[in-house]
Amino acid sequence: MQHILAADLGATHSRFALFRAQPHNSEAPLLTLLGEQTFAGADYPSFTALLHALFAQASHAASPFFPLHEGKAAIAVLAPAGPVQGEVCRLSNLPWVITAQEPRDLFRIPKACLINDFAAQAYACLLPHSVNPRSILAGEARRDAPVAVMGAGTGLGKALLLCPPEGETTENSRKNPLARFARALVLPSEGGHAEFPFAGEREFAFAQFAAKREGTDRLIGDAIVSGAGLAHLVAFITKESLPPREATARAKDCPEALEWFARFYARACRNFVLDTLALGGLYITGGMALRLPVLTHPAFAREFRRSAVQGPLLAKTPVWHVQNPQAGLWGAALYGLLKLTERDAA
């Protein structure tokens, strides 16, 4: 039995969880969630301060994180919302620098590593119970094709998951339940920072409006398919300038803003699927889809399948909504389990 500290570090929320791992016993769950804790990023000036707040909680014997205080975790996997470069990551939407060395030092963890937050979301998709998927658009998933994972929250994240055909791992899976997971390949992305495409006179008028509010002449997906993007939409349509969280609540009573956001969200999804030929399907995660009924809005299906040439292909691509807001923690924990298994086998 080993303990894994998993962290999903975003600009709005930073989530931590402690898992118990039992990779060599096929009769027991590979991962068992022992406890979780969510912190508001704005409450802490740095990642260091946040870790010390977690350490303070772990010092209580009744805390599910107490094994951290005793130095009993085998590995920490941090999944920050930003490009990971080795053992360092600068968050895209919060002035924090995340390093793997800090949890090693503070919690006496022998191994710690960083993966992109949407890489963690992609790993979670290997564990259906951890994502609790809901079918949004029916289709026929190609088992030999990539799976797209993306979602909007404070920003827009994307990743690609490539799974080996099930037939190649069936025999090994009976002996080792991690065999299929170990052969999966996850490709992180910073596609949310690519420029967002607009179409039509009114959309271009909105683009000019949003660009002025952003103070830029180039709008990226992160600024449009996100909480900030919805705030721009609400301000453009209603003339009310609200912070993202209040704009989200206001959008529920503004059909035009909801329709526009559903359309923009679907356009980003469609383009990612076409860019990567993700015929294995699309998993959508992130806080915006949990707080607003954008994925079930008729505009989402219309825009996702809108293509003069590849409409039939898109009509066959299934789309699922990840219902579990803690999916990234499970994905980070699975990655940690795979790393522990590699170490034990070495």
Side-chain angles (χ1 to χ4, degrees):
M1 181 182 71
Q2 297 173 304
H3 290 94
I4 299 172
L5 174 64
D8 183 3
L9 306 169
T12 303
H13 297 108
S14 288
R15 299 180 172 94
F16 291 88
L18 192 67
F19 290 83
R20 181 174 62 239
Q22 298 187 110
H24 302 299
N25 183 351
S26 59
E27 296 181 358
L30 291 174
L31 294 166
T32 302
L33 177 63
L34 301 179
E36 58 187 272
Q37 179 67 50
T38 298
F39 298 88
D43 292 345
Y44 300 90
S46 66
F47 179 58
T48 302
L50 178 66
L51 280 184
H52 280 278
L54 179 65
F55 186 75
Q57 291 199 8
S59 65
H60 302 289
S63 169
F65 290 94
F66 189 65
L68 291 179
H69 186 75
E70 296 184 311
K72 292 183 177 179
I75 188 172
V77 180
L78 312 178
V84 173
Q85 298 182 336
E87 294 195 339
V88 179
C89 175
R90 293 181 180 274
L91 289 189
S92 297
N93 294 305
L94 196 66
W96 285 4
V97 177
I98 311 296
T99 70
Q101 188 61 44
E102 289 189 77
R104 279 200 292 261
D105 293 343
L106 185 61
F107 298 117
R108 292 170 291 152
I109 297 176
K111 184 174 180 60
C113 52
L114 272 61
I115 62 173
N116 175 263
D117 62 330
F118 265 78
Q121 294 285 347
Y123 276 107
C125 293
L126 295 168
L127 301 169
H129 72 277
S130 75
V131 295
N132 187 21
R134 173 191 177 192
S135 177
I136 297 298
L137 296 177
E140 301 172 11
R142 284 260 305 269
R143 296 187 181 278
D144 61 342
V147 174
V149 184
M150 65 181 294
T154 305
L156 177 64
K158 304 179 184 181
L160 203 62
L161 172 64
L162 293 89
C163 301
E166 291 185 5
E168 296 182 16
T169 59
T170 299
E171 185 175 346
N172 288 337
S173 295
R174 294 193 187 101
K175 302 175 183 178
N176 177 9
L178 285 174
R180 178 171 177 267
F181 304 145
R183 295 193 59 192
L185 178 63
V186 170
L187 304 177
S189 164
E190 285 301 318
H193 290 266
E195 290 184 40
F196 186 84
F198 297 93
E201 183 177 346
R202 186 152 164 77
E203 282 194 16
F204 282 118
F206 165 71
Q208 289 183 328
F209 174 84
K212 185 175 181 180
R213 283 168 58 96
E214 287 279 330
T216 182
D217 62 349
R218 296 186 181 273
L219 289 168
I220 60 176
D222 220 47
I224 299 301
V225 187
S226 62
L230 183 61
H232 294 327
L233 270 176
V234 169
F236 179 70
I237 293 168
T238 70
K239 313 305 180 188
E240 299 177 59
S241 184
L242 302 170
R245 186 165 291 277
E246 292 180 27
T248 300
R250 177 70 177 87
K252 295 177 182 179
D253 300 318
C254 182
E256 187 177 4
L258 200 60
E259 189 273 336
W260 277 57
F261 193 71
R263 186 169 75 242
F264 286 163
Y265 208 148
R267 187 176 303 167
C269 290
R270 179 194 66 211
N271 289 350
F272 189 45
V273 168
L274 291 176
D275 283 342
T276 58
L277 211 60
L279 305 184
L282 167 67
Y283 285 89
I284 299 177
T285 184
M288 297 305 294
L290 288 171
R291 292 192 288 270
L292 282 175
V294 289
L295 303 186
T296 54
H297 195 289
F300 183 90
R302 283 197 305 269
E303 186 68 20
F304 180 77
R305 291 170 169 164
R306 187 193 300 272
S307 173
V309 177
Q310 299 299 345
L313 181 148
L314 292 164
K316 292 182 179 180
T317 303
V319 177
W320 300 281
H321 180 203
V322 174
Q323 301 283 288
N324 184 4
Q326 313 297 1
L329 293 171
W330 284 89
L334 176 59
Y335 182 83
L337 181 54
L338 292 171
K339 286 296 179 183
L340 289 177
T341 304
E342 288 178 7
R343 184 195 67 183
D344 294 343

